Amino acid sequence: MKVIVSKTYEEMCAKAARIIAAQLTLKPDSVLGLATGSTPVGIYKELIRKYEEGRLDFSEVTTVNLDEYVGLSGENDQSYRYFMNHNLFDHVNIPKEYTYVPSGVAEDPEDECENYDLLIQQLGGVDMQLLGIGGNGHIGFNEPADSFAEGTHLTDLTESTIQANSRFFEKDSDVPRRAITMGIGTIMQARKILLVANGESKAKAIYDTLYGPVTPQVPASILRFHPDVTVLVDEAAFKLVAEKE
Ligand code: F6R
């Protein structure tokens, strides 16, 4: 694993965006795996800026997102489809039909999961997967568990994740309890992975990912077995590792 520590969130985002831009320059028809949440927002802003400056072209790019809440349609402003449109897709020249997010309102969610893995296979796999990390070490919505889930699947969100997400919803009862997420197996098949984390609330998860045992109790720890992972963190998220070194 390559670890890049930045002083600030902005610096971390600029570096992550540069890595993604290099990927798209080298392979304009890349399949990008994307994440939602607060962490990648600054990265998407940087990508939009590069596009507006004429330095980046998304016309041949395909994207597949990690996850979506069950029960929320793409029109719901808390859905991950809405987030992606709003934070990236509406601002660059990517054809919307090349952007994939699992459907949270599929008639048969099990089928939706199976079809999502088939889709990724048909696209030839993910070239570069962007990941955030939960305070509990989750990636996508692969929560701490007794085993690593393979493919895209339905999952119950843990109480800590529901709490973390509740800041985006008016009422606690509105916070979705289930999600569709790529599995650990799906994520591990990406050719390159970028894991980004900022802020002290991620310090323990980053420490455990880099130095703890590889265990499904810290889902991100499996990334140590992937041959091409870059971890981008700010100093706050790196704090516990820096104290150890
Ligand atoms: C989002 C996702 C989640 C987030 C994680 C961190 O698509 O899969 O794993 O990356 O919960 O979220 P933030 O960035 O909001 O701290």
Side-chain angles (χ1 to χ4, degrees):
M1 274 180 161
K2 183 172 172 188
V3 182
I4 302 176
V5 186
S6 298
K7 271 215 160 332
T8 62
Y9 171 70
E10 288 72 23
E11 193 185 312
M12 179 192 89
C13 290
K15 284 180 188 160
R18 252 181 265 144
I19 295 172
I20 296 170
Q23 170 69 32
L24 300 189
T25 306
L26 290 170
K27 187 168 186 273
D29 62 348
S30 289
V31 177
L32 286 184
L34 296 178
T36 59
S38 1
T39 317
V41 171
I43 302 172
Y44 296 150
K45 280 198 179 126
E46 276 292 308
L47 292 176
I48 293 167
R49 197 172 58 82
K50 287 182 196 297
Y51 164 73
E52 286 171 346
E53 289 171 1
R55 293 193 284 147
L56 211 47
D57 176 22
F58 287 83
S59 62
E60 293 178 59
V61 174
T62 302
T63 64
V64 283
N65 260 79
L66 280 168
D67 40 20
E68 179 61 283
Y69 289 123
V70 170
L72 301 194
S73 80
E75 281 79 53
N76 187 306
D77 64 4
Q78 291 307 327
S79 72
Y80 286 173
R81 159 55 74 183
Y82 187 98
F83 174 101
M84 289 309 303
N85 287 349
H86 186 73
N87 284 287
L88 182 65
F89 303 150
D90 286 346
H91 309 284
V92 296
N93 64 335
I94 190 163
K96 276 275 166 60
E97 62 273 24
Y98 294 174
T99 68
Y100 297 96
V101 180
S103 169
V105 290
E107 229 172 77
D108 185 336
E110 303 281 356
D111 263 8
E112 177 67 12
C113 294
E114 213 170 292
N115 290 336
Y116 206 68
D117 281 335
L118 282 176
L119 166 79
I120 294 171
Q121 260 179 38
Q122 280 159 7
L123 292 171
V126 173
D127 290 301
M128 181 174 275
Q129 175 69 54
L130 179 64
L131 295 176
I133 184 169
N136 61 4
H138 76 214
I139 48 177
F141 274 133
N142 293 278
E143 300 281 20
D146 293 335
S147 61
F148 290 111
E150 285 274 327
T152 300
H153 59 283
L154 281 162
T155 184
D156 293 322
L157 304 183
T158 59
E159 208 42 53
S160 72
T161 301
I162 293 167
Q163 281 311 317
N165 290 342
S166 64
R167 68 193 193 273
F168 301 114
F169 293 84
E170 259 176 39
K171 291 184 275 147
D172 263 14
S173 57
D174 290 344
V175 188
R177 265 53 186 172
R178 299 184 86 198
I180 292 182
T181 180
M182 280 186 199
I184 293 291
T186 324
I187 293 171
M188 289 292 278
Q189 278 165 27
R191 286 184 267 281
K192 293 186 180 118
I193 295 180
L194 293 186
L195 175 72
V196 290
N198 68 292
E200 228 179 304
S201 64
K202 301 292 171 68
K204 172 129 180 31
I206 289 296
Y207 181 90
D208 289 347
T209 297
L210 298 179
Y211 288 107
V214 172
T215 161
Q217 292 301 329
V218 181
S221 63
I222 190 89
L223 297 175
R224 297 225 299 275
F225 290 152
H226 190 282
D228 193 343
V229 179
T230 305
V231 180
L232 291 122
V233 286
D234 71 352
E235 284 186 345
F238 196 64
K239 196 173 162 234
L240 293 180
V241 180
E243 279 170 15
K244 175 187 181 271
E245 282 176 348

